[in-house]
Amino acid sequence: MKLFMKYPIKIACSLLLTLCFAGCVSKKDKTVNSETATPLDNLETGFITPPDTIQTSVYWYWISDHISKEGVIKDLKAMKSVGINRAFIGNIGINDIPYGKVKLFSDEWWDILQTALKTATELDIEIGIFNSPGWSQSGGPWVKPSQAMRYLNSSETVLQGPLKANVTLPQPDKEFQDIKVLAFKAPKDYQNNIVDGKP
């Protein structure tokens, strides 16, 4: 552990070079004799041709209803070719990408999902599916805006006391719901910038 803390860049660079070297050797050029193989040979071979015992998993995002039977088949074959044998399907909507024609839970969507599961079974790839659409598996048309996940935001008003005050606190943005008002005695250097302390 001491060695790693002292030389993290050297070790990281060595590992990176090992990975790059392993990725640059083609499968047909690399044959390893199991009797004379060194640990480095075994490491290199494992990167080029991962054994089926290695579980390599990915999130497989189906973005903004842009899916097709041909697309899922190609995706799964590409995954298999690089040693990925487990994928978790997440239906994700991205505001910047116009939505496609295959609506979530439509007959066509279910047909494409069935094709994906059948193809994955043939390729020996495990499939998991998010329990609902949206980031963090919690979105969907059944969630009203008032129930949706939101960012926690804040505003502040600094008062010089002692005094009794009746003030309206500024709202940080227009879509705002009060959660809590906190009042505390601020330290003397409360509004100083951390840069002023020349850390």
Side-chain angles (χ1 to χ4, degrees), residues 2-197:
K2 199 171 190 182
L3 179 67
F4 183 77
M5 297 297 282
K6 195 172 179 185
Y7 304 106
I9 295 173
K10 260 187 198 173
I11 291 172
C13 288
S14 298
L15 180 57
L16 182 61
L17 288 173
T18 302
L19 290 173
C20 290
F21 178 71
C24 292
V25 179
S26 69
K27 292 180 184 179
K28 65 181 180 182
D29 294 336
K30 185 65 183 173
T31 54
V32 176
N33 182 336
S34 58
E35 294 176 10
T36 60
T38 67
L40 184 60
D41 289 331
N42 292 331
L43 177 66
E44 184 180 336
T45 303
F47 275 111
I48 296 168
T49 313
D52 288 337
T53 54
I54 300 295
Q55 288 290 325
T56 307
S57 305
V58 295
Y59 284 129
W60 185 16
Y61 290 143
W62 291 8
I63 303 291
S64 298
D65 298 337
H66 292 284
I67 58 172
S68 67
K69 284 186 180 182
E70 299 78 15
V72 296
I73 291 169
K74 287 180 180 178
D75 280 355
L76 287 163
K77 286 183 176 178
M79 288 181 206
K80 189 65 178 182
S81 71
V82 294
I84 294 168
N85 49 21
R86 183 187 289 144
F88 298 95
I89 299 171
N91 292 275
I92 305 297
I94 297 179
N95 291 337
D96 298 341
I97 299 176
Y99 276 77
K101 296 178 180 177
V102 184
K103 300 303 175 195
L104 182 70
F105 301 145
S106 65
D107 289 342
E108 188 178 3
W109 184 90
W110 284 109
D111 197 27
I112 292 169
L113 178 64
Q114 184 178 14
T115 298
L117 297 176
K118 183 174 183 289
T119 306
T121 301
E122 292 167 358
L123 296 172
D124 198 23
I125 296 175
E126 294 178 15
I127 295 292
I129 304 173
F130 285 17
N131 57 10
S132 68
W135 293 110
S136 301
Q137 308 171 31
S138 57
W142 54 88
V143 179
K144 297 172 186 172
S146 61
Q147 301 167 327
M149 290 190 298
R150 284 159 281 178
Y151 292 100
L152 188 62
N153 204 343
S154 66
S155 66
E156 71 174 16
T157 299
V158 178
L159 302 172
Q160 186 70 38
L163 75 141
K164 286 185 178 180
N166 184 2
V167 297
T168 301
L169 299 176
Q171 292 189 355
D173 54 56
K174 63 178 183 177
E175 300 294 331
F176 183 77
Q177 177 185 3
D178 280 327
I179 298 173
K180 184 75 80 176
V181 175
L182 300 173
F184 59 92
K185 184 178 179 180
K188 192 165 79 171
D189 58 354
Y190 175 69
Q191 290 187 300
N192 289 0
N193 190 313
I194 192 170
V195 176
D196 298 336

